[in-house]
Amino acid sequence: MYDIILNKIYRGRRSYVIITEATHIEMVLATKIKLINFKDGNLRNILLFFSKDCGINITIDEEAIQNVNSAVNIYLQNVSVEACLQAILYPKGLT
C-alpha cells in the first residue's frame, strides 16, 4: 500500500492527512502542464517520460503499441496530465 502522510499544524493543533496511491494518481492526473511539444516522438518513450516525470506507474502493453503507428506529434498548452495522455492515446485506439 502506498501512503504519504502529511503533517501540518493548524492553529496550534497538529493534524495528519493520509494520501493513498489512488489519491496521489488523481492529483497527478489533475496537474496542469504548461507546454508539451512532441514531433515524431516515440510513443513508448513518451509514456516512459510521463511515468518518470510524474512519478506514476504506467504499464505499457508492448503488443498493443507495436500494432499502432508509434509516432506522436502533439503540441498542447495548459492542459492536465490526464487530458494530455488522452490526446496522445485516444487517436491510436489505446484508451
Side-chain angles (χ1 to χ4, degrees):
M1 187 168 163
Y2 177 94
D3 289 329
I4 299 173
I5 300 176
L6 301 176
N7 180 4
K8 61 182 186 176
I9 298 174
Y10 178 71
R11 293 188 181 182
R13 294 185 180 160
R14 191 171 290 235
S15 63
Y16 297 91
V17 178
I18 297 175
I19 300 176
T20 63
E21 183 176 8
T23 304
H24 173 70
I25 291 171
E26 290 172 1
M27 290 169 49
V28 169
L29 291 175
T31 302
K32 292 286 184 183
I33 297 175
K34 289 186 180 186
L35 173 69
I36 190 153
N37 185 16
F38 290 108
K39 183 165 182 134
D40 295 325
N42 178 280
L43 178 59
R44 186 178 192 287
N45 291 340
I46 291 170
L47 293 175
L48 290 174
F49 163 79
F50 272 100
S51 179
K52 288 180 182 178
D53 194 55
C54 296
I56 57 175
N57 292 330
I58 297 177
T59 303
I60 299 172
D61 183 341
E62 297 293 341
E63 185 179 335
I65 64 171
Q66 286 178 355
N67 294 327
V68 298
N69 177 4
S70 67
V72 175
N73 294 300
I74 195 160
Y75 179 90
L76 298 170
Q77 289 182 294
N78 300 317
V79 296
S80 68
V81 171
E82 181 176 18
C84 186
L85 287 171
Q86 287 178 347
I88 292 169
L89 298 173
Y90 184 77
K92 299 186 178 303
L94 296 174
T95 57

